[in-house]
Amino acid sequence: MTKPHREIITDPAAWRGSDIQNDDSWVLTLGNREIDEIDRALASVKARNVAVPFDKSAFELPSLSATLGEIPHRLEDGLGFVVVRGLPRARYDNDECALIYWGIASHLGTPVSQNARGERICHVRDAGKSLADPTARGYQTTAKLEYHCDLLPVDVLGLFCLRTAKAGGASFLVSSLAVHNVVLRERPDILDALYEPFHADWRGDQPDNETPWYTNPLYSYWDGKLTSRVTTRFVFESVVRFGEHLALTERQNEALDVVHEIAGRPDMRLAIDFRPGDMQFVNNHTILHAREEYED
């Protein structure tokens, strides 16, 4: 367990949503030249019957690759997230969108899975599941999801908007560093609890030879970096099926409530108005995401 960090974070990633909501610095807009390049790369992989997964060398983006190369720096040293916008979604079918998404993502890093099925592209849609099911993941339901990070080993979390919801589904981002700053100012008495081990339910997605639960603090500070593992309450509640000794303590319960309350404040969150074709990439160690209940 690392010692709690007790200084205000002034990094660019410690933003408040109200300060950047109308700022387009976090939007990377594709122009005609970049879209033409994507179209050529798409035509090439289709002509060669290349399927996901494939290496970035199969999806050549001579000019755009340099722009995409800036994204990891924005995620690590900037705001912590980027929205790539401008892809003419209506031009492509679902399979073509998957090829484009994989091709672009492969220029950012090595795609990995965060579930037991080994899937590296998952569909966020109504799978008829409920959060009451301890084997269900949030993306398989239409339920409202609190602010959270996704499972490790994901460093960069991507999302491609194929289509918007029929109703609801508003999407939000929050800086976990900014939340930590507010805790430090308003509730320093709970800071220690955030750095204690919390037990969480893998909900059926544990790696081989691992226990069906995992343990980590909500915040860690190491080598000058503050990172977070804040997640949704239901993973802390369902873990007790493996033993009451794994349940949240009274002070952990309070600390989790405080973090979620701060994250949900209107001035803290950034509302993302997704458009079909948008691609969002976030630093999974510093940015929390949430969504409202929706109709598929």
Side-chain angles (χ1 to χ4, degrees):
M1 184 173 73
T2 62
K3 292 182 179 179
H5 184 64
R6 298 186 183 277
E7 296 181 11
I8 295 296
I9 301 292
T10 58
D11 296 349
W15 47 263
R16 285 176 176 257
S18 57
D19 293 333
I20 63 170
Q21 184 67 67
N22 298 315
D23 181 0
D24 62 359
S25 64
W26 45 269
V27 179
L28 195 163
T29 304
L30 300 173
N32 290 333
R33 179 181 177 183
E34 290 85 1
I35 293 170
D36 288 344
E37 203 166 83
I38 291 171
D39 284 345
R40 287 193 294 271
L42 174 63
S44 176
V45 295
K46 290 180 65 178
R48 292 177 286 132
N49 293 317
V50 175
V52 172
F54 55 78
D55 186 76
K56 69 177 183 179
S57 60
F59 203 85
E60 295 185 8
L61 300 169
S63 299
L64 182 56
S65 60
T67 302
L68 295 177
E70 298 174 7
I71 292 179
H73 300 293
R74 292 199 193 192
L75 302 186
E76 182 69 17
D77 303 314
L79 297 177
F81 70 99
V82 171
V83 173
V84 179
R85 178 163 287 166
L87 189 74
R89 163 69 178 97
R91 185 184 299 179
Y92 314 104
D93 62 28
N94 290 352
D95 291 337
E96 290 171 331
C97 285
L99 291 171
I100 291 171
Y101 180 43
W102 182 277
I104 287 178
S106 67
H107 283 263
L108 303 179
T110 303
V112 296
S113 174
Q114 56 165 304
N115 65 39
R117 296 173 296 284
E119 297 171 322
R120 286 177 281 184
I121 294 182
C122 300
H123 290 276
V124 179
R125 61 186 173 201
D126 183 3
K129 295 194 175 186
S130 164
L131 294 181
D133 177 357
T135 66
R137 293 282 296 278
Y139 66 84
Q140 298 171 315
T141 77
T142 61
K144 175 181 179 179
L145 298 180
E146 297 172 301
Y147 286 94
H148 64 285
C149 304
D150 268 26
L151 289 176
L152 295 176
V154 174
D155 295 316
V156 176
L157 179 66
L159 180 70
F160 184 106
C161 180
L162 281 176
R163 59 187 60 82
T164 55
K166 182 178 180 181
S171 182
F172 304 101
L173 298 181
V174 158
S175 164
S176 65
L177 309 189
V179 171
H180 191 277
N181 283 346
V182 176
V183 171
L184 192 58
R185 291 189 182 104
E186 298 182 5
R187 291 296 309 272
D189 58 301
I190 66 152
L191 198 64
D192 286 351
L194 298 177
Y195 286 76
E196 293 177 356
F198 282 64
H199 305 299
D201 190 349
W202 278 109
R203 296 178 75 86
D205 276 330
Q206 67 267 22
D208 291 340
N209 302 316
E210 291 286 340
T211 60
W213 70 88
Y214 61 95
T215 302
N216 53 232
L218 298 193
Y219 279 96
S220 298
Y221 187 77
W222 184 257
D223 197 24
K225 290 283 188 181
L226 180 69
T227 59
S228 70
R229 290 282 94 217
V230 174
T231 191
T232 45
R233 176 170 285 279
F234 65 82
V235 303
F236 298 122
E237 293 178 341
S238 65
V239 75
V240 297
R241 64 196 175 111
F242 304 112
E244 288 295 331
H245 65 289
L246 300 173
L248 293 171
T249 65
E250 185 175 335
R251 76 187 213 140
Q252 285 178 331
N253 249 316
E254 181 183 13
L256 186 61
D257 280 344
V258 168
V259 167
H260 282 147
E261 185 277 321
I262 293 171
R265 295 178 186 177
D267 68 315
M268 296 293 291
R269 68 190 189 190
L270 176 74
I272 303 292
D273 182 21
F274 278 118
R275 307 171 189 176
D278 280 358
M279 284 168 271
Q280 175 182 269
F281 299 100
V282 306
N283 184 330
N284 195 38
H285 302 291
T286 62
I287 301 297
L288 310 178
H289 58 284
R291 70 137 197 257
E292 296 291 340
E293 184 179 6
Y294 74 98
E295 182 180 355
D296 206 340

